[in-house]
Amino acid sequence: MINRLPGTTIEIAVSDAAEAKSVLDNIFMCGGLTLSQVASLTGLEPYVIQNWVKRGFLAPPVKKLYTQRKFCRIAIINMLRNVLMIEKITDLLSYINGRLNDESDDILGDNELYLYFIECVSACGSADQEGIEGCAKAAAAGFCEPFPGARGRLEKVLASMLFAYYSARYKQLAEFTINTLD
């Protein structure tokens, strides 16, 4: 069970991707979010998000509104940036679709990738290599391949994201433990 949606400040007990999808759908029920709303929901400073747009890691908002798809990309980058360099994160995002853009003609949108990831975190009982790779494989099993090898790509990206996610959590635990030394 996740205490908050990864890469966000949204505190909720999420036990599966369907619940996460419902939460995200409700947030975006009225359309997109403004920069200040995205910043509030991710804990990022607005200038960081604007920098990511400027550097091409994220498409610009349309009419100053960020879609659910863009929000999920921001959450993914935010979640992984404490462990991976942003260039490695964008390499992961590019690997599935063959390019970095986050437009609607992608094979797998960032919102879908984010939900697959949440499914993995919810189902993964073990943070060891075998457990993580098994969770990634199980989550990707239902993915309808638009071309041969697409499921394998999704498995690799999910496993990489899980390794980074658990690394970040262990890093936080290590820092907390160090801070409590007498």
Side-chain angles (χ1 to χ4, degrees), residues 44-66:
L44 292 166
E45 293 294 331
Y47 73 86
V48 172
I49 298 166
Q50 290 171 323
N51 186 335
W52 292 349
V53 170
K54 183 179 178 182
R55 293 176 65 189
F57 303 144
L58 175 71
V62 176
K63 297 182 182 177
K64 297 187 179 185
L65 294 177
Y66 291 82

Side-chain angles (χ1 to χ4, degrees), residues 6 26 54 83 95 126 149 157 159 163:
N26 286 335
K54 183 179 178 182
V83 177
Y95 183 67
S126 172
V157 169
F163 286 127

